[in-house]
Amino acid sequence: MSEATGEQTQDVPPFRYTAALANEIERRWQDRWEREGVYHAPNPVGDLAEGEVPGDKLFVQDMFPYPSGKGLHVGHPLGYLGTDTYARYHRMLGRNVLHTLGFDAFGLPAEQYAVQTGTHPRVTTEQNISIMKRQLRALGLGHDQRRSFATTDPDYYRWTQWIFLQIYNAWYDKSQQRARPISELIEEFRSGKRSTPDGRPWDELSKAEQQEVLAGYRLAYLAEAPVNWCPGLGTVVANEEVTAEGRSERGNFPVFRKNLKQWMMRITAYADRLLDDLDRLDWPEKVKTMQRNWIGRSHGANVYFRSGEHTIEVFTTRPDTLFGATYMALAPEHPLVDELVTDAWPEGTDERWTGGKATPKEAVAEYRLATSQRSELDRQEAKEKTGVFTGAYATNPVNGKQIPVFIADYVLMGYGTGAIMAVPGQDTRDWEFAEKFGLPIIRTVQPPTEDFSGPYLDDGPAINSANDSGLDINGLGVEEAKKKVIAWLEDTGHGQGTVQYKLRDWLFARQRYWGEPFPIVYDENGIAYPLPEDMLPVELPEVEDYSPTTFDPDDADTEPSPPLAKAKDWVEVELDLGDGPRRYWRDTNVMPQWAGSCWYQLRYIDPHNDERMVDPENERYWMGPRPEIHGENDPGGLDLYVGGVEHAVLHLLYARFWHKVLYDLGHVSSEEPYRRLFNQGYIQAYAYRDARGAVVPAEEVEERDGKFYYQGQEVFQEYGKMGKSLKNIVTPDEMFERFGADTFRFYEMTMGPFADSRPWSTKDVVGAHRFLQRLWRLIVDENTGEVRVTDAEPTVEDLRALHKTIAGVRSDYDGLRFNTAGAKLIELCNYLTKHYGAKGTPRQLAEPVVLMLAPLCPHIAEELWSKLGHEESLVRGPFPEADEQYLVEDTVEYPIQVNGKVRSRMTVPADASEEELRKAALADEKIAALLGGAEPRKVIVVPGRLVNVVA
RNA sequence: GCCCCCGUAGCCCAAUUGGCAGAGGCAGUCGGCUUAAAACCGAUCGAGUGCGGGUUCGAGUCCCGUCGGGGGCACCA
């Protein structure tokens, strides 16, 4: 059986472009590229400078990969190949291109492995990085390797810590809308320009009191904050890491709200700028929308409702509906509830309001207990509105009406003021509540129809909205009505216009080992001290056990104890921080994984600089604003950032925040890190399950007549991510072995639009392979290995085909349309094969084809280029230019339509005027016959396209 | 529940942005090479654009409705 394969290979011509030959070529060129440093991009200054740099530059970046130990599947490199192709194209055009790839190497998998096996996470991480580097190298990526690093390198995280200190030592000056050094704030306090909270002079405050005041301003601050404590993991998790069911995304353990002292980042100070500057970015609209929703700015008003001697403050985005407020609802946790609740039910209290209790106090206590016992899941899934009356009434400021005050769990303490004015006429939740509790419903916006039922949420003229104190908004639209009501509230002292955000401050601490330690120590009184720059980096200590202390997953009354706390010798240090040698205790938290990826683009620019995070001159060159190219509003940043849409909110928002702080403090010249963002699609794959629902190996499934079979049994197709559990993984290594890297690259880049997700199909890869074989054969004799190009002059037809392709391919590469660029190259190759397959290709045609292919398939292109007699690598071009004279045709064939349907065709000179086209079309026999002598009503002439006769 | 994206040959995808529905690949069919085969070569077949309306001289493209697939957010006042 196996003998057959041996005979097969004997028949293959010795110099055919096979996988084996491809592999040999690829390895050889990868070695040469590395040896010659062809992808090195010079900097203006510093250790990577080589004299004058070209003014024309391009900074391309892929989203930071985590070096997983599992190795890559064919879906992973998609983005890297896209940026590589784009970068190569621009490098060939003569631009200075910065493209490299580092590793976001702190993270949980290595730490969990350490917990299980005792292997140091650094060991695992370094192994994984070297595996990944080998795979990336085999793809033929044109990275400047000198600029690669991992976030776990002390040389890198030294600067992550340094940036943390910059943020810690800064505050947000609202009047100037920018961050300033904390020292300037202290000076304002000291000089009395700004008064302290209790009015005492600054220097009379104790150190602890001063620190407490400053903590209210610092952009990185310690706060007793409600956090998501997960005893099962032994750590606190961010909101984003908690599932809708109130459990940890990882491990699926219960998560409890608990007050703990934690590092926070005051990202909310930047909410407006983060929102407004989205307009200056060249990003997918989808991602901008997601960020806008996440920041969630809403304009509205805070309104004061008097209830006895208390004032209940509510936030509303619809102050125009104030006349329709028929009750109030407070979050059950609202602090005012205890004060408001009355001893007895007012006379005639509706039974539905009492929760079946004898007094409001009992009802409130009961309801609060019930609420606290319900899980997040229950509260979210509950469709039925619940609540109880507090016994208290409040006064609606616009009309003096007394309205009942309820507590209800659909009101959240964490949003707005934790209290709402309920307007059933214009709010679905309030409507449902009002119906259930028999509360009045007053419409204050006119619905479009008389028989409209339910709450009306859209715009319309205000009704029932006027009082005797000078407020009348009847007839006004929502926006105008809002403005007028806000003005009235402010004039009369009943409220004021405000802005609310959904965005919360960023919880910036993890109780883990494998992360950046904080450059902070505490004295015996718990006062925090930032370490001076010369004590950086604070390196991770060795520990015997990498796990945080975990607890019974259901025990909410436990406290975090991070692994670093176990390194006693490291935690307790004697330092001289200016007050002489004293004893301090290190912070035992580490930074979250986002920290390292918030600023890595800056380090790519100046990876070895040990004086600064990045030299300003280098930063300005690679990232500075270029208004002359990108318009006067250009914020600067990367020229192209490519990655999956899954990072639309968190990573991209956090990185923008850090970058803006660094900009405010004068460390960078760009206002945004990523000028242009592109989300590549995902490569997915089919998977198959048998009748029992068990997954079967996708590779062994056969298709017959639209049905699928595995070992003779019918199986059923589904579509999803590549992964072990679906048994549908295909690896780049398999593809290299069967076809070579260039074939793999070409297939992956041309199987569909870069932005779209699409299914992998191994059987289709052969198409790309055949194309490269054909192209190879145009230039190399398969039997002798000799170059078979000729000095023959190409025909005009040849040149038309060539230059049309050049123009198309250029614009496709520019627009990241690699699939259509590839199709155009195949088309040209097929044309050449047809005309010259038998007699050898004119050099004038062969060379441009090779050059145009180079961004997609660099190895085979280099090999052919060198066979064509060029000693220099084609990495820096040239790239063919289209000659206009071959792009215009002498004659054009026009379709002639009658009433939009093609009825005839004509060939006319390309420069025919509209009038000539019109005459020629009407003179056409078939058209004349169809018109039957009648005058056409209208003739539409679209130059270059068609003529349409309207009969 | 709300928001966003996508439905074009058996399959993956093009279509100068409102102007002749097909560039390219896979599969199929026919032929060549071969004792035979194909991860070889050549030729060829194939959809009126998910469905229903509308605007227009003209709609895959714009608008409305609907069905299907994917993604994001979610008692956010």
Side-chain angles (χ1 to χ4, degrees):
Chain A
M1 284 172 75
S2 56
E3 288 155 51
T5 48
E7 280 174 289
Q8 260 183 15
T9 49
Q10 283 178 358
D11 283 1
V12 174
F15 296 95
R16 171 166 292 174
Y17 183 76
T18 58
L21 179 58
N23 287 328
E24 186 273 316
I25 291 170
E26 285 158 10
R27 238 177 321 239
R28 185 150 43 76
W29 279 98
Q30 284 157 13
D31 288 344
R32 177 168 163 189
W33 291 334
E34 184 172 289
R35 202 166 56 239
E36 296 179 3
V38 293
Y39 303 113
H40 290 180
N43 270 352
V45 297
D47 70 322
L48 303 184
E50 302 168 9
E52 199 75 0
V53 286
D56 198 9
K57 60 86 196 182
L58 185 82
F59 188 2
V60 189
Q61 184 172 300
D62 303 280
M63 282 189 191
F64 228 6
Y66 176 79
S68 148
K70 292 174 196 146
L72 303 177
H73 63 62
V74 292
H76 291 118
L78 180 66
Y80 308 148
L81 293 176
T83 48
D84 188 52
T85 304
Y86 188 74
R88 284 179 180 279
Y89 169 63
H90 285 281
R91 204 179 279 116
M92 289 178 79
L93 293 178
R95 304 179 82 177
N96 188 16
V97 176
L98 199 174
H99 190 206
T100 189
L101 191 72
F103 300 92
D104 191 14
F106 281 122
L108 278 177
E111 178 161 339
Q112 281 177 304
Y113 187 71
V115 170
Q116 285 159 19
T117 65
T119 312
H120 198 291
R122 179 170 299 286
V123 173
T124 315
T125 303
E126 281 171 2
Q127 273 172 3
N128 292 349
I129 288 176
S130 72
I131 292 170
M132 195 161 161
K133 278 195 162 167
R134 182 187 57 76
Q135 288 188 309
L136 293 172
R137 182 186 143 96
L139 288 164
L141 301 173
H143 292 162
D144 184 345
Q145 287 300 339
R146 304 169 306 169
R147 297 174 184 266
S148 179
F149 53 76
T151 51
T152 47
D153 298 343
D155 277 350
Y156 181 82
Y157 72 70
R158 164 189 180 181
W159 294 105
T160 309
Q161 291 169 340
W162 180 85
I163 295 170
F164 175 85
L165 290 175
Q166 299 300 310
I167 299 172
Y168 174 80
N169 284 316
W171 60 293
Y172 201 77
D173 184 339
K174 289 199 182 84
S175 62
Q176 295 187 17
Q177 277 292 300
R178 68 179 183 95
R180 297 171 59 191
I182 200 81
S183 55
E184 295 178 16
L185 178 68
I186 296 173
E187 199 36 56
E188 287 191 10
F189 278 126
R190 182 165 282 137
S191 70
K193 184 181 167 198
R194 186 182 288 260
S195 57
T196 59
D198 60 7
R200 279 184 293 159
W202 178 255
D203 290 319
E204 286 180 21
L205 270 60
S206 72
K207 208 159 189 173
E209 286 169 331
Q210 288 179 347
Q211 286 308 317
E212 205 182 313
V213 171
L214 294 178
Y217 287 86
R218 291 184 190 277
L219 291 178
Y221 61 99
L222 278 167
E224 191 76 30
V227 298
N228 305 301
W229 167 233
C230 181
L233 290 174
T235 186
V236 165
V237 292
N239 283 331
E240 302 84 50
E241 293 161 341
V242 182
T243 64
E245 290 78 32
R247 300 177 81 90
S248 59
E249 216 161 62
R250 207 176 46 77
N252 199 34
F253 293 112
V255 171
F256 301 92
R257 299 292 284 175
K258 189 180 174 74
N259 277 330
L260 283 174
K261 201 158 218 184
Q262 291 285 315
W263 282 105
M264 304 288 287
M265 287 262 169
R266 204 179 301 279
I267 189 172
T268 50
Y270 281 79
D272 281 320
R273 278 165 65 190
L274 290 170
L275 192 64
D276 295 337
D277 283 351
L278 285 172
D279 295 336
R280 303 164 67 185
L281 296 173
D282 180 5
W283 282 21
E285 229 15 78
K286 182 184 174 178
V287 176
K288 289 190 190 183
T289 304
M290 282 164 69
Q291 292 218 344
R292 287 191 188 106
N293 291 340
W294 191 262
I295 295 167
R297 179 166 64 191
S298 49
H299 294 274
N302 279 349
V303 186
Y304 314 127
F305 285 69
R306 293 292 298 174
S307 176
E309 61 227 61
H310 303 292
T311 299
I312 307 169
E313 188 176 339
V314 306
F315 172 71
T316 176
T317 57
R318 294 292 303 273
D320 62 299
T321 62
L322 210 35
F323 286 93
T326 54
Y327 71 99
M328 300 188 75
L330 272 56
E333 309 91 320
H334 197 290
L336 219 48
V337 173
D338 286 324
E339 321 239 355
L340 290 169
V341 67
T342 58
D343 294 325
W345 297 117
E347 280 232 9
T349 296
D350 191 312
E351 272 182 26
R352 286 171 287 183
W353 298 9
T354 64
K357 298 291 164 188
T359 65
K361 278 207 163 73
E362 282 175 51
V364 165
E366 164 79 18
Y367 187 75
R368 281 179 154 180
L369 184 66
T371 305
S372 72
Q373 282 175 346
R374 294 174 70 191
S375 71
E376 293 274 322
L377 176 65
D378 287 343
R379 271 178 85 159
Q380 280 180 22
E381 282 198 337
K383 296 276 179 280
E384 193 76 351
K385 292 283 173 293
T386 60
V388 292
F389 182 38
T390 60
Y393 284 83
T395 310
N396 185 337
V398 293
N399 55 15
K401 278 192 184 155
Q402 294 296 298
I403 57 176
V405 180
F406 284 75
I407 59 172
D409 68 2
Y410 80 94
V411 182
L412 308 177
M413 198 56 224
Y415 189 78
T417 61
I420 61 161
M421 60 175 222
V423 189
Q426 276 83 225
D427 183 281
T428 312
R429 292 152 303 170
D430 297 346
W431 178 282
E432 288 165 3
F433 192 90
E435 291 230 296
K436 181 166 175 194
F437 289 87
L439 291 153
I441 296 169
I442 302 171
R443 288 198 190 278
T444 54
V445 179
Q446 181 70 56
T449 54
E450 277 305 316
D451 56 351
F452 191 89
S453 67
Y456 179 65
L457 312 177
D458 292 329
D459 206 344
I463 52 172
N464 301 323
S465 298
N467 65 18
D468 302 333
S469 337
L471 181 61
D472 182 350
I473 55 169
N474 284 329
L476 297 181
V478 169
E479 279 313 309
E480 252 180 293
K482 276 190 195 178
K483 279 185 197 147
K484 209 163 167 186
V485 172
I486 289 171
W488 185 86
L489 288 169
E490 289 178 348
D491 285 349
T492 56
H494 289 302
Q496 63 182 76
T498 54
V499 183
Q500 277 284 334
Y501 304 90
K502 274 200 281 186
L503 183 69
R504 304 279 92 148
D505 274 346
W506 174 16
L507 177 63
F508 194 77
R510 297 292 183 275
Q511 291 69 49
R512 312 236 55 120
Y513 174 77
W514 194 224
E516 299 88 346
F518 283 89
I520 296 282
V521 292
Y522 303 89
D523 67 13
E524 64 281 2
N525 299 316
I527 294 177
Y529 296 82
L531 292 174
E533 281 179 39
D534 61 15
M535 289 190 189
L536 302 184
V538 178
E539 294 201 45
L540 279 169
E542 298 303 317
V543 293
E544 287 187 3
D545 172 13
Y546 299 99
S547 46
T549 309
T550 57
F551 304 91
D552 174 353
D554 296 309
D555 187 357
D557 295 324
T558 42
E559 295 276 337
S561 171
L564 288 183
K566 297 171 184 171
K568 292 269 185 293
D569 294 345
W570 178 83
V571 172
E572 281 192 51
V573 280
E574 192 169 275
L575 300 170
D576 185 347
L577 298 179
D579 300 328
R582 284 177 57 193
R583 199 144 202 66
Y584 296 97
W585 289 262
R586 293 191 192 275
D587 196 306
T588 56
N589 294 293
V590 294
M591 300 185 197
Q593 199 182 353
W594 305 113
S597 58
C598 270
W599 71 283
Y600 65 123
Q601 62 278 350
L602 295 170
R603 200 59 181 173
Y604 282 158
I605 290 173
D606 214 350
H608 314 131
N609 196 330
D610 53 12
E611 302 285 315
R612 293 167 174 272
M613 157 188 78
V614 56
D615 188 286
E617 202 170 321
N618 289 334
E619 188 273 336
R620 204 177 315 120
Y621 174 72
W622 290 109
M623 289 182 75
R626 299 210 168 185
E628 66 281 8
I629 301 170
H630 302 286
E632 57 177 335
N633 223 358
D634 180 31
L638 298 184
D639 296 296
L640 180 66
Y641 191 30
V642 173
V645 72
E646 71 271 18
H647 292 116
V649 177
L650 301 178
H651 159 58
L652 290 171
L653 200 62
Y654 294 153
R656 293 180 63 214
F657 163 52
W658 276 36
H659 203 90
K660 285 184 181 301
V661 177
L662 292 172
Y663 171 80
D664 286 353
L665 297 177
H667 299 299
V668 295
S669 69
S670 40
E671 286 186 68
E672 287 279 344
Y674 316 120
R675 176 192 288 124
R676 181 176 180 205
L677 174 72
F678 188 92
N679 296 123
Q680 96 267 9
Y682 297 106
I683 290 184
Q684 298 191 294
Y686 291 109
Y688 302 86
R689 287 179 198 276
D690 63 20
R692 297 167 305 157
V695 178
V696 304
E699 210 176 323
E700 295 164 40
V701 170
E702 294 163 21
E703 182 179 356
R704 288 197 299 272
D705 305 325
K707 290 187 174 180
F708 303 95
Y709 299 91
Y710 171 66
Q711 296 179 345
Q713 299 291 308
E714 186 176 2
V715 292
F716 304 92
Q717 191 182 52
E718 60 184 78
Y719 183 55
K721 286 183 180 148
M722 268 190 193
K724 264 190 196 145
S725 58
L726 288 177
K727 296 188 181 171
N728 60 356
I729 291 184
V730 181
T731 66
D733 301 82
E734 286 171 72
M735 292 302 111
F736 298 157
E737 199 190 318
R738 289 175 63 179
F739 304 105
D742 279 331
T743 296
F744 171 67
R745 290 176 60 116
F746 192 85
Y747 172 69
E748 185 136 333
M749 286 288 91
T750 59
M751 62 193 282
F754 194 32
D756 288 6
S757 291
R758 48 204 187 268
W760 177 266
S761 172
T762 299
K763 68 177 170 55
D764 289 2
V765 181
V766 68
H769 195 58
R770 284 182 193 145
F771 159 62
L772 294 183
Q773 288 185 330
R774 240 175 294 143
L775 189 95
W776 176 265
R777 197 154 44 226
L778 278 175
I779 297 167
V780 179
D781 188 305
E782 286 190 326
N783 294 307
T784 65
E786 293 298 307
V787 173
R788 53 192 293 271
V789 296
T790 69
D791 292 325
E793 278 296 314
T795 65
V796 172
E797 193 199 354
D798 294 343
L799 292 172
R800 285 227 165 92
L802 173 67
H803 288 276
K804 201 179 112 201
T805 305
I806 294 172
V809 165
R810 274 182 171 254
S811 103
D812 284 347
Y813 279 149
D814 260 325
L816 301 164
R817 293 185 299 271
F818 310 119
N819 54 330
T820 48
K824 288 181 175 81
L825 290 171
I826 293 173
E827 196 180 359
L828 181 60
C829 175
N830 291 350
Y831 171 90
L832 294 175
T833 300
K834 190 170 189 170
H835 291 82
Y836 297 102
K839 54 185 172 183
T841 316
R843 174 176 290 269
Q844 283 187 54
L845 300 173
E847 293 199 337
V849 174
V850 168
L851 291 168
M852 285 191 282
L853 179 70
L856 287 163
C857 304
H859 313 87
I860 187 177
E862 288 271 29
E863 183 70 7
L864 291 172
W865 187 243
S866 115
K867 280 188 182 295
L868 287 165
H870 302 278
E871 282 177 21
E872 286 277 299
S873 158
L874 49 61
V875 157
R876 286 173 199 281
F879 200 89
E881 287 184 54
D883 186 338
E884 283 293 326
Q885 65 167 306
Y886 296 111
L887 298 179
V888 290
E889 304 280 343
D890 298 336
T891 60
V892 185
E893 191 193 58
Y894 276 78
I896 311 172
Q897 298 181 334
V898 177
N899 293 336
K901 292 206 169 66
V902 180
R903 298 298 189 190
S904 185
R905 291 172 185 283
M906 62 181 181
T907 300
V908 296
D911 56 358
S913 71
E914 285 194 31
E915 188 50 34
E916 284 164 343
L917 286 165
R918 181 191 145 91
K919 276 189 182 146
L922 292 175
D924 183 274
E925 281 175 26
K926 288 182 199 155
I927 301 304
L930 276 162
L931 285 173
E935 250 331 272
R937 282 204 294 152
K938 204 170 166 189
V939 179
I940 289 148
V941 179
V942 185
R945 301 244 60 100
L946 51 61
V947 179
N948 186 15
V949 180
V950 185

